[in-house]
Amino acid sequence: MPQISFSRRLRRTPFSEGVEAAGVKGYTVYNRMLLPTVFQSVEADYRHLKSHVQVWDVSCERQVELRGPDAAKLMQMLTPRDLRGMLPGQCFYVPIVDETGGMLNDPVAVKLSDDRWWISIADSDLLLWVKGIANGYRLDVLVDEPDVSPLAVQGPMADDLMARVFGDRVRDIRFFKFDMFEFQGRDLAVARSGYSKQGGFEIYVEGSEIGMPLWNALFTAGEDLEVRAGCPNLIERIEGGLLSYGNDMTDDNTPHECGLGKFCNTHTAIGCIGRDALLRVAKEGPVQQIRPIAIEGEAVPPCDRPWPVFADGKRVGQVTSAAWSPDFQTNVSIGMIRLSHWDAGTAVEVETPDGMHRATVQERFWI
């Protein structure tokens, strides 16, 4: 396979030195930054993640900061999720939509105070969209990208490792809440969240210069816990139904098509730019939707482009993410399937690079 050519346009992270020393074997490009994809192997990393604890460099989850009197107003303009009841110290998963209701991103909103928010983004140029909205509506708010680089600690032993570095109070953080913890004289936001179903935390490292000291502190404290460098794992995230923006959904899809209707309070999210379009979608219902699909046969190759899904001789959807699952002994996958064939138990066929495979739409994701 061709390799990525590094340059200044492809940004390193505050933790790149540690990632390289840990023996990273593969990267992808995410928000113009390096995101590790494999250390030992995808399957070995998967097994370790489910049994121990890993430290992930997810600096590529860049922050869009909203600061000023109109910060909350702007935040509500971006998403159909009603944010009026959100309190400082909370994190909300928020679909971000355009004027047609199409998905622009699926970030986590972090409310630091009434007039200061971070949007922890997936892979798209959301900063430019938010700046455009703020300037176009002449809002009293500053929009920029702060020097904040998330570091994730994921796996069954995450609580033990984090307590050794930040103290036992870290165990009290509830899911999708955050609190402030001191490290080397800096107050860092630590949230119970992360891009895995194994449990853990995301540390919002404010200040690049303390990146490697924190990385080293975690590895020193977790030596007997078998801590390793890791990364979002393809197999585990498909098993858990964790969607990938740009892979499983794009701006051609509405939140309802992505199974995110529960995060759309279109009747009460007054001010959301895509509200009128989503009100129509909510009333009529989507004609296609994300579904888990079990693909039969031997392990399928990497899914680097959509795979057509057929039934009764007609195309009824596409698979966008797929991998062999050692725990479930099947190829797990995420697909966008037409209404006529999305019911659990429906038999379909998936056209993969190595031929047609029989497959079945599942009732739910595997974990």
Side-chain angles (χ1 to χ4, degrees), residues 309-316 340-341 346-349 356:
V309 177
F310 297 95
D312 306 319
K314 298 179 181 179
R315 181 165 176 165
V316 296
S340 57
H341 290 80
T346 301
V348 294
E349 287 188 300
M356 299 294 288

Side-chain angles (χ1 to χ4, degrees), residues 253-274:
N253 304 119
T254 67
H256 296 81
E257 289 179 335
C258 302
L260 304 177
K262 64 183 178 180
F263 299 111
C264 296
N265 315 109
T266 42
H267 289 284
T268 57
I270 307 301
C272 172
I273 287 172

Side-chain angles (χ1 to χ4, degrees), residues 194-229:
Y195 196 55
S196 85
K197 287 297 186 80
Q198 305 310 309
F201 302 85
E202 288 178 301
I203 309 165
Y204 291 83
V205 182
E206 192 167 7
S208 296
E209 66 277 6
I210 64 168
M212 280 310 300
L214 177 56
W215 176 280
N216 291 332
L218 288 164
F219 277 86
T220 299
E223 187 173 351
D224 63 317
L225 300 176
E226 297 188 45
V227 62
R228 289 184 192 168

Side-chain angles (χ1 to χ4, degrees), residues 175-326:
F175 185 62
F176 262 52
K177 300 284 199 309
F178 72 90
D179 205 345
M180 305 303 293
F181 292 83
E182 188 271 339
F183 180 80
Q184 291 194 351
R186 298 285 184 85
D187 287 330
L188 305 181
V190 177
R192 189 176 288 276
S193 58
Y195 196 55
S196 85
K197 287 297 186 80
Q198 305 310 309
F201 302 85
E202 288 178 301
I203 309 165
Y204 291 83
V205 182
E206 192 167 7
S208 296
E209 66 277 6
I210 64 168
M212 280 310 300
L214 177 56
W215 176 280
N216 291 332
L218 288 164
F219 277 86
T220 299
E223 187 173 351
D224 63 317
L225 300 176
E226 297 188 45
V227 62
R228 289 184 192 168
C231 52
N233 185 269
L234 176 66
I235 306 169
E236 196 268 351
R237 75 118 177 139
I238 297 174
E239 289 177 351
L242 299 176
L243 305 184
S244 170
Y245 187 82
N247 284 315
D248 305 313
M249 53 188 169
T250 69
D251 58 2
D252 290 329
N253 304 119
T254 67
H256 296 81
E257 289 179 335
C258 302
L260 304 177
K262 64 183 178 180
F263 299 111
C264 296
N265 315 109
T266 42
H267 289 284
T268 57
I270 307 301
C272 172
I273 287 172
R275 180 171 178 262
D276 289 345
L278 290 178
L279 282 170
R280 292 192 296 271
V281 172
K283 182 178 179 180
E284 298 168 5
V287 298
Q288 60 178 357
Q289 200 167 62
I290 291 284
R291 284 292 185 270
I293 302 170
I295 303 175
E296 298 179 14
E298 299 297 317
V300 294
C303 182
D304 63 351
R305 64 205 67 187
W307 295 343
V309 177
F310 297 95
D312 306 319
K314 298 179 181 179
R315 181 165 176 165
V316 296
Q318 63 183 20
V319 163
T320 49
S321 296
W324 173 259
S325 167

